[in-house]
Amino acid sequence: MEITVNGRTLNVMAEAETPLLYVLRNDAGCKGVRYGCGLGQCGACTVIIDGKPVQSCDVPVSAVAGKAITTVEGIGSEAKPHPLQAAFVEEQAAQCGYCVTGIIMSAKVLLDANPSPSDTEIKQALSKNLCRCGTHLRIVRAIKRAAAEMRS
Amino acid sequence: MAETPAKRKLPGSLEINRQLSQWLTINKDGSVDMRPGKIEIGQGILTAVRQIVAEELDVNIERVKVTAASTPTSPNEGTTSGSRSIEESGIAFRFAAAEARELLLARAGVKLGVSIEQLTVSDGVVKAPSGATVSYWDVTSDDLLQREATGEAKPKSHTQHKVVGTGAKRIDIPAKVLGKPVYVQDMETAGLVHARVVRPPSQFAELLSVDLDDVKKMPGVVAVVRDGRFLAVVAEREEQAIRAQARLKRNAKWKEVAQLPEFNPRYLLSRTPKTEVISEKKGDAPVKANEGKEFSAEYTRQFLAHASLAPSCAVARCDNGKYTVWTHSQSIYPLRVELAPALGVPEEDVVLHHMEGAGCYGQNAADFVATDAAVIARAVPGRTIRLQWMRDEEFQWEPFSSAMVVKTRATLSPDGHVSDWNMDIWSHGHGSRPGRTDGKSNLLAAWYVEKSLPRAPTGNPPLPGGGSHRNGLPIYDFANQRVSNHLIADQLLCVSSLRGLGSQTNVFAIECSLDEMALAANADPIAFRIRHLKDPRAVAVLEKVAQMAKWRPKEKGANNKARGVGFARYKNAAGYMAVIAEVELGEQLRVTKIWSAVDVGQIINTDGLTNQIEGGIVQAVSFVLKEEVKYDRVRITQESWDDYPILSFTEVPDVEVALINRPELPPVGAGEGTQGPVAAAIGNALFNAAGVRVRDMPITRERIVAAMA
């Protein structure tokens, strides 16, 4: 089976019903896609497919063959972080950080469609992402900062 | 030779790790290595201790490299818990670095031909009055710190601090937002295989039969492990391990017993406790019968889960009977002490390396999964075993925080003072961390393997910190008081430490009672508290939070909106936290805003502290409004976030935090002190909004409706 991750096509030997999450983590090496629940409830595994946020633990790999999958590794790097990644550092918007990669992907989808979201719109866009450390308010601030950065 | 004098007591964890080289290395390449025995759990501790080292050495913070804790190379700092890391590790590094600086300056002084007092240091470059310089990196050598600390080097005065007290950015966040493999969950090595465990459907179940053969034939399966009642699968690919786990689960037949208590914390009252009077104070004026007004109440809280966002994970290998385990345990040294006998090997044959996991807020399943992985590695030697629990396993098998019942009985004197205070606390223990040497074990798998170890009873950390009795002693000055702790040592549900331990329920009980008496005394609740406080720092945080929130004396709610107060000093010895919560009672009870004033002595990292306080507040709101472990008489029934909901983005209150810095005072722990004051402030705000007292947590819609009926 062929899948395209961050512009790179790879051939995977997994069975068709394997959740995309495990293929991304263990075959594509995208460890930033995190396992949190395997049930599509926490958002730690969020990736972008066709411009939409998708919980990769809850979709079989066979369903995404031929589609362009973007993970957190595909949006920025140490040398050139995405404005969201830079803003999360600037606002220190993490404690343990396990949820932040999934949140950054949900936020990217939001900002791509809505460059000036309100606090309420940001919180709504993150309604499928859980954070257990209580970093919510900093995360909202970081997303607003990134939005401002991306507009300028 | 003179007699060897008794060893000087050294500050913090230096006392038990006296060799300077255990803590620091000054490298010739211009870098400094520091090796904390404490571990990062998202609380920012490694960043804070790094600031302390950079400060004392006078080097740029970027030069300081932090090595994660590891049993062969780190000082033994026990467990990272109880908000004690700054007091233990931070203070040890402060004195170790101050001494390293003196040793470096002594060498530099010789080179430059001047006395130490004349030298100045800037980023490791030592300068003489003549302008001649020599650097740390020139004068360091391998033997520089091969000596015992004396504790005599004097750290800087707080007035000289340039790095400590700032909001230095966390060292771990950049890699985390980029999605780098920073967690033990992400570990990858050649030949790594994936394991999953099959646990019984309930903890006391007996294994009747299990068919292993057809699981062994499944694609990718490397091994199927049966060791007593402990079952596991190992496969080449992760999803293959998960499929094999599902099959093995179906193949295992168990006999279950109904051994869990009723779904109500009051079951604790009918168990046999170990009772201890923890405070008894008889004032000059004993309370006379019929003088004053008596108040009594009963407060409860259900079992809570840590509910870490990531199910726990460990990686383990067994080579020739020697074990290496990568773990997010908070207790690598104590875990080794207890893991070795569980595996039947001497301690020196077990090496533990810390790697981060998701935030744990106390003892989650980290130690359990590490034991599981090691037991599987024993059965599949020579392979690197990665085991991550599934979500339902984490929700059912992590050690929970005990349910509690607290009864209060108090007398309000005619002059508006609390003249008599009685409190009784019922709870299982709040400390089941590893480190036992009595042949018993709390490491889940140890109870299930063929050569099993007996289950240990639960206990409490001792007072003054305490466990179920943490913050059980009121900080207020009451003329007469008696507080008793009733420990239920058996564990029906598996229990251990969660952020704040017993303090959440104890402070909830004390602070709600105080509000009731303030009302009866026709006093403002903040003024009533201050009336009973002698400590000016306690008074200061209460006054500060009142000012921040523009609190109006004796303010009342309106339109189902109101505010309430809560206060505590964590463990009566660490940080002071005063909180005002604003709530709105609609279809559900919503917490809309929290103000908090905090004093933790000297602040090491302002932003890190604020982040900890904000997070603690939001998590406390979640505990109070939503959280309780679901179980019936046989099983823990919760499997997912649907069964154990936590506060979501759309439900999070606005939070405002003010820090009162006391740079002249020792820094004390901060991370756990919010749990009690927030609970109390919400309970008191609900009363002010709706005129009803809900004394059972979580404060759900059903309980509010029942109280109003």
Side-chain angles (χ1 to χ4, degrees), chain B residues 29 124 175 182 197 245 291 297 319 361-362 395 420 510 535 595 634 706:
Chain B
D29 68 359
V182 295
V197 177
Q245 177 195 37
E291 192 184 272
D319 298 283
Y361 331 105
F395 267 132
D420 189 28
I510 294 168
D535 182 345
W595 295 263
V634 181

Side-chain angles (χ1 to χ4, degrees), chain B residues 71-205:
Chain B
T71 52
T73 54
S74 313
N76 179 352
E77 292 201 80
T79 297
T80 302
S81 69
S83 301
R84 291 177 288 117
S85 297
I86 292 288
E87 293 161 64
E88 294 176 357
S89 198
I91 296 303
F93 272 113
R94 179 172 277 174
F95 280 84
E99 194 155 342
R101 184 181 194 272
E102 279 196 359
L103 293 166
L104 288 161
L105 288 189
R107 289 187 178 185
V110 170
K111 279 228 165 170
L112 296 169
V114 294
S115 68
I116 292 179
E117 297 73 44
Q118 294 173 276
L119 299 173
T120 56
V121 187
S122 173
D123 192 20
V125 176
V126 187
K127 197 172 171 185
S130 66
T133 62
V134 63
S135 75
Y136 286 175
W137 333 117
D138 299 330
V139 299
T140 188
S141 63
D142 292 346
D143 62 350
L144 177 79
L145 301 179
Q146 298 292 351
R147 63 181 76 208
E148 218 176 83
T150 63
E152 279 162 20
K154 204 166 167 268
K156 287 183 185 174
S157 148
H158 66 87
T159 55
Q160 298 167 283
H161 284 168
K162 296 191 196 83
V163 187
V164 162
T166 65
K169 287 211 172 3
R170 287 253 304 270
I171 48 179
D172 53 327
I173 290 181
K176 287 175 174 175
V177 302
L178 291 168
K180 300 282 184 203
V182 295
Y183 304 101
V184 68
Q185 282 87 349
D186 305 333
M187 211 177 128
E188 186 79 80
T189 59
L192 177 140
V193 285
H194 295 271
R196 289 295 183 276
V197 177
V198 171
R199 302 228 102 90
S202 55
Q203 55 174 329
F204 302 103

Side-chain angles (χ1 to χ4, degrees), chain A residues 83-97 99-100 104 131 133-143 145-146, chain B residues 40 42-48 50-51 61 166-177 605-615:
Chain A
L84 275 161
Q85 292 166 320
F88 271 66
V89 173
E90 209 47 51
E91 293 287 343
Q92 295 284 283
Q95 286 186 46
C96 83
C99 68
V100 298
I104 285 172
C131 164
C133 295
T135 321
H136 306 73
L137 299 166
R138 285 169 178 250
I139 289 170
V140 173
R141 282 205 297 276
I143 294 169
R145 176 189 276 266
Chain B
E40 182 66 43
Q43 83 283 43
I45 189 63
L46 299 188
T47 304
R50 185 178 182 233
Q51 281 176 269
I61 195 162
T166 65
K169 287 211 172 3
R170 287 253 304 270
I171 48 179
D172 53 327
I173 290 181
K176 287 175 174 175
V177 302
N605 186 317
T606 46
D607 189 65
L609 174 59
T610 307
N611 200 353
Q612 276 294 290
I613 302 296
E614 287 170 352

Side-chain angles (χ1 to χ4, degrees), chain A residues 27 31 34 95 132 138, chain B residues 170 186 188 237 627:
Chain A
D27 295 304
K31 302 289 190 190
R34 314 269 183 218
Q95 286 186 46
R132 181 56 165 161
R138 285 169 178 250
Chain B
R170 287 253 304 270
D186 305 333
E188 186 79 80
R237 291 182 59 91
E627 298 186 27

Side-chain angles (χ1 to χ4, degrees), chain B residues 31-87:
Chain B
S31 65
V32 174
D33 288 319
M34 60 180 288
R35 289 174 289 277
K38 299 288 184 184
I39 56 108
E40 182 66 43
I41 45 177
Q43 83 283 43
I45 189 63
L46 299 188
T47 304
V49 289
R50 185 178 182 233
Q51 281 176 269
I52 290 172
V53 168
E55 181 74 68
E56 291 303 331
L57 282 175
D58 273 319
V59 298
N60 193 321
I61 195 162
E62 274 74 42
R63 292 186 185 275
V64 183
K65 295 184 290 186
V66 187
T67 308
S70 179
T71 52
T73 54
S74 313
N76 179 352
E77 292 201 80
T79 297
T80 302
S81 69
S83 301
R84 291 177 288 117
S85 297
I86 292 288
E87 293 161 64

Side-chain angles (χ1 to χ4, degrees), chain B residues 259 483 564 582 671:
Chain B
Q259 213 160 321
V483 180
E582 177 187 74

Side-chain angles (χ1 to χ4, degrees), chain B residues 556-578:
Chain B
K556 291 278 167 267
N559 304 322
N560 287 326
K561 273 182 91 157
R563 307 195 295 181
V565 181
F567 162 74
R569 180 179 193 194
Y570 189 51
K571 303 186 208 175
N572 290 348
Y576 298 80
M577 320 256 163

